[in-house]
Amino acid sequence: MFLLLIIVAIVLGIIGVAAHGLFYLLTIGVLAMVADLVYGAVRFRRRGTRPQRAR
């Protein structure tokens, strides 16, 4: 899911830059990239904080 959202954000950004007048696609691509990075950071943080087992 993470990789798919990154690819979609990159494609939207490229189309937004290449096609004149479609600046909103570039904006959507950047917002999708930022949202995906936040999502990945939250998942990584949750995965890294496991409670330790009592011995």
Side-chain angles (χ1 to χ4, degrees):
M1 181 81 169
F2 182 78
L3 182 59
L4 177 68
L5 288 175
I6 292 288
I7 291 171
V8 167
I10 290 171
V11 168
L12 284 175
I14 290 172
I15 292 172
V17 169
H20 298 287
L22 294 179
F23 183 72
Y24 67 94
L25 284 179
L26 175 62
T27 306
I28 292 171
V30 169
L31 290 175
M33 179 78 90
V34 169
D36 192 38
L37 291 175
V38 169
Y39 173 74
V42 168
R43 282 189 55 142
F44 181 73
R45 185 178 302 164
R46 283 186 188 168
R47 185 176 296 169
T49 59
R50 292 183 183 163
Q52 295 208 358
R53 235 171 93 178
R55 292 184 179 193

